[in-house]
Amino acid sequence: MAEGATTAVAVTTEPLDVAAHERLVARAAAGAVVSFAGIVRDHDDGRGVLELEYEGHPSAGRILAEVAAEIAADPAVYAVAVSHRIGRLEIGDVALAAAVSTAHRAEAFAACARLVDEVKARLPIWKRQGFADGTEEWVNCP
């Protein structure tokens, strides 16, 4: 971990602001800040999506903090900020916001990609999608 690397994490029902995540990781030594916004889209696998709801396991915050700490442990990383929203979201809402700062762009892109991939793989948050045809499905639900 870069000396003084920090993390900021949240699992929340509040709207997410990617620019706020970028500000959380900004450092004078950081020549690169890379961010990601996972946005609710109006389709999935060729079907129209009308509504979306995320439910999280009580351990979701702890696991999100663990993932952020693992990314922050990379010696090139100065700071990590990541949040996942739960509850009912609208089309266009940000469901996942992430930002990473490093000295150079290649490391920042790589670290942010690892962060998002690990969150998607490990975070116990499940998505219910309501489709335009009246059907629904749960995604990533055990």
Side-chain angles (χ1 to χ4, degrees), residues 8-98:
V9 301
V11 174
T12 181
T13 58
E14 296 299 316
L16 299 179
D17 180 348
V18 176
H21 284 68
E22 292 169 347
R23 288 188 298 275
L24 285 169
V25 302
R27 301 290 181 274
V33 170
V34 171
S35 61
F36 172 82
I39 300 170
V40 178
R41 62 184 181 271
D42 68 355
H43 64 94
D44 188 29
D45 200 25
R47 296 169 25 185
V49 172
L50 297 179
E51 62 182 10
L52 190 136
E53 182 179 1
Y54 285 98
E55 273 194 36
H57 187 272
S59 66
R62 177 183 53 79
I63 292 171
L64 190 60
E66 289 171 4
V67 170
E70 289 170 16
I71 301 304
D74 180 329
V77 172
Y78 293 124
V80 174
V82 60
S83 301
H84 202 297
R85 193 157 164 209
I86 56 174
R88 186 181 173 102
L89 281 74
E90 302 294 328
I91 304 302
D93 285 348
V94 176
L96 173 62

Side-chain angles (χ1 to χ4, degrees), residues 47-48 50-51 128-137:
R47 296 169 25 185
L50 297 179
E51 62 182 10
R128 184 189 64 78
Q129 296 184 114
F131 294 102
D133 64 8
T135 62
E136 66 178 35
E137 75 176 355

Side-chain angles (χ1 to χ4, degrees), residues 115-137:
L115 174 62
V116 171
D117 288 346
E118 286 298 313
V119 167
K120 295 295 284 181
R122 295 169 44 192
L123 198 61
I125 290 182
W126 305 282
K127 174 173 66 173
R128 184 189 64 78
Q129 296 184 114
F131 294 102
D133 64 8
T135 62
E136 66 178 35
E137 75 176 355

